[in-house]
């Protein structure tokens, strides 16, 4: 794409990624029913952008809403949640939907989310226009979260990252990859990445989960992910990056020992769930060497951070576990 949201690095900053000065870009009360809006997905669409947003209402019911923007910063989010029609299944039961990701593959936009069906699992759906949405079979049995599709087939199959979990707040979690011939039946499950040993990189020692759609680079698939440490004050979520092999993405080539971005600003440390930086979407422009990552802040707002794509890749390689 020719342009993405962007703000140059502040003069006094030496960080590999830096925050947008006007964060958060989406407030918790941006639609009338919302208690919080966070952990949301954004893609280029038409002459601007479209997104799927997690909006918890004032009863704290979790659902996903469509939204649109001309610049990727200022958003108009629909006031009613997405209504699904039957896609490749008649079974579209859903007790809740949260933490969506969106990706264009071949001829349509695919959406994944944490879907409530006797516990959390990975829901899959698609749309052509962000007006009409079709729900497909759940990818996996409960319990699972953080389903993230690759933007193209790998060895002729669709590929998805996920994090098998439990029915609660999951004090553990590894990243796995699974494959499908048809977006309905999933198998060939392979371990990608475990939490790090506490002594080596404590910020990601409790659990890890995939974030935005992986980005294909000359160095491999760039996977932005979240890592968690269980502190005396609860879980703390931060953002890291890894490079996966292009043809065998279960093979991790490099993985950051230090985090790229951790909760430090008030809007990341104070909210419904304090101390959370949770990446869910990324826009990139390889020609302009730009990366913009959308993340949930304290399970309350949507914020954005920027970085040079080449610098993030170099940082990942030079600061690898």
């Amino acid at each position: 794409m020719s342009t993405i949201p962007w703000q140059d690095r502040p003069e006094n900053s030496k960080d590999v990624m830096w925050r947008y000065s006007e964060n958060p870009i989406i407030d918790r009360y941006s639609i009338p029913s919302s208690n919080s809006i966070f952990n949301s997905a954004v893609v280029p669409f038409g002459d601007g952008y479209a997104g799927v947003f997690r909006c918890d209402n004032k009863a704290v019911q979790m659902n996903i809403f469509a939204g649109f923007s001309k610049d990727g910063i200022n958003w108009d989010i629909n006031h009613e949640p997405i209504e699904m029609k039957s896609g490749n299944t008649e079974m579209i039961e859903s007790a809740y939907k949260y933490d969506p990701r969106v990706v264009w593959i071949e001829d349509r936009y695919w959406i994944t989310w944490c879907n409530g069906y006797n516990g959390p699992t990975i829901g899959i759906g698609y749309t052509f226009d962000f007006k009409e949405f079709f729900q497909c079979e759940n990818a996996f049995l409960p319990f699972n979260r953080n389903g993230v599709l690759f933007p193209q087939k790998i060895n002729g199959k669709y590929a998805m990252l996920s994090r098998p979990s439990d029915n609660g707040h999951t004090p553990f979690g590894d990243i796995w990859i699974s494959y499908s011939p048809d977006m309905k039946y999933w198998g060939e499950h392979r371990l990608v990445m475990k939490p790090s040993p506490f002594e080596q990189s404590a910020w990601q020692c409790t659990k890890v989960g995939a974030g935005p759609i992986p980005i294909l680079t000359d160095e491999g698939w760039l996977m932005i992910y979240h890592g968690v440490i269980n502190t005396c004050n609860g879980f703390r979520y931060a953002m890291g990056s890894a490079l996966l092999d292009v043809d065998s993405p279960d093979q991790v080539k490099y993985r950051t020992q230090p985090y790229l971005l951790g909760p430090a600003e008030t809007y990341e440390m104070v909210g419904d769930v304090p101390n959370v930086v949770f990446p869910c979407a990324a826009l990139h422009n390889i020609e302009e060497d730009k990366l913009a990552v959308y993340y949930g802040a304290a399970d309350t707002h949507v914020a954005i951070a920027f970085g040079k794509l080449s610098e993030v890749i170099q940082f990942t390689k030079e600061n690898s576990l």
Side-chain angles (χ1 to χ4, degrees), residues 10-305:
E11 289 185 8
N12 61 347
S13 172
K14 297 183 180 181
D15 293 329
V16 68
M17 295 201 71
W18 57 94
R19 296 166 177 82
Y20 181 47
S21 63
E22 301 300 317
N23 272 344
I25 62 168
I26 299 175
D27 181 70
R28 66 185 307 165
Y29 300 129
S30 291
I31 63 173
S33 64
S34 63
N35 165 77
S36 49
I37 303 175
F38 59 106
N39 297 5
S40 301
V42 171
V43 290
F45 178 73
D47 60 354
Y49 303 89
V52 178
F53 296 85
R54 173 177 176 172
C55 303
D56 294 3
N57 67 18
K58 291 180 175 66
V60 194
Q61 295 173 298
M62 304 164 191
N63 216 325
I64 55 176
F65 293 63
F68 302 89
S69 174
K70 290 293 186 183
D71 59 7
I73 299 288
N74 300 285
W75 288 88
D76 293 317
I77 300 173
N78 293 346
H79 291 184
E80 297 298 325
I82 291 169
E83 290 189 13
M84 295 286 181
K85 300 179 180 180
S86 294
N88 65 14
T89 178
E90 295 300 316
M91 202 296 293
I92 59 172
E93 181 179 334
S94 184
Y96 48 77
K97 298 181 179 74
Y98 63 81
D99 295 357
R101 276 76 163 183
V102 181
V103 59
W104 172 267
I105 307 176
E106 295 175 333
D107 64 347
R108 68 194 71 186
Y109 297 92
W110 289 93
I111 307 158
T112 55
W113 65 89
C114 184
N115 191 51
Y117 178 69
N118 298 289
T121 185
I122 306 301
I124 303 178
Y126 62 86
T127 183
F128 297 97
D129 55 10
F130 289 91
K131 296 178 181 177
E132 191 174 34
F133 295 82
F134 299 87
Q135 186 168 339
C136 299
E137 281 287 339
N138 294 323
F140 309 117
L141 293 168
F143 306 110
N144 207 321
R145 294 176 173 88
N146 297 303
V148 179
L149 289 162
F150 282 76
Q152 64 190 52
K153 290 181 177 179
I154 297 174
N155 300 319
K157 298 174 184 176
Y158 298 103
M160 186 194 303
L161 301 164
S162 69
R163 192 194 71 200
S165 58
D166 61 17
N167 201 31
H169 291 288
T170 317
F172 63 89
D174 306 332
I175 298 175
W176 288 70
I177 190 169
S178 305
Y179 296 92
S180 172
D182 57 5
M183 282 288 195
K184 186 170 185 178
Y185 300 103
W186 294 85
E188 299 178 80
H189 314 293
R190 303 288 186 267
L191 177 67
V192 177
M193 199 166 83
K194 287 179 171 290
S196 69
F198 175 88
E199 298 79 6
Q200 294 182 23
S201 184
W203 72 270
Q204 53 182 326
C205 69
T206 299
K207 52 185 174 179
V208 289
I213 304 305
I215 298 170
L216 184 59
T217 76
D218 292 340
E219 299 286 349
W221 290 105
L222 177 64
M223 178 183 71
I224 307 294
Y225 67 95
H226 67 260
V228 183
I229 180 175
N230 192 10
T231 74
C232 59
N233 197 38
F235 290 147
R236 179 183 185 272
Y237 284 71
M239 181 197 309
S241 58
L243 286 165
L244 312 179
D245 184 81
V246 171
D247 298 316
S248 300
D250 59 311
Q251 302 299 312
V252 179
K253 299 169 65 176
Y254 304 96
R255 168 187 179 180
T256 49
Q257 184 178 32
Y259 57 74
L260 292 174
L261 196 74
E265 297 295 329
T266 301
Y267 57 85
E268 299 160 349
M269 297 189 295
V270 178
D272 282 3
V273 181
N275 300 317
V276 175
V277 166
F278 192 95
C280 270
L283 301 173
H284 69 282
N285 185 309
I286 291 178
E287 291 76 19
E288 296 181 2
D289 195 25
K290 293 178 178 179
L291 175 69
V293 177
Y294 293 78
Y295 64 95
D299 279 17
T300 304
H301 312 284
V302 175
I304 190 169

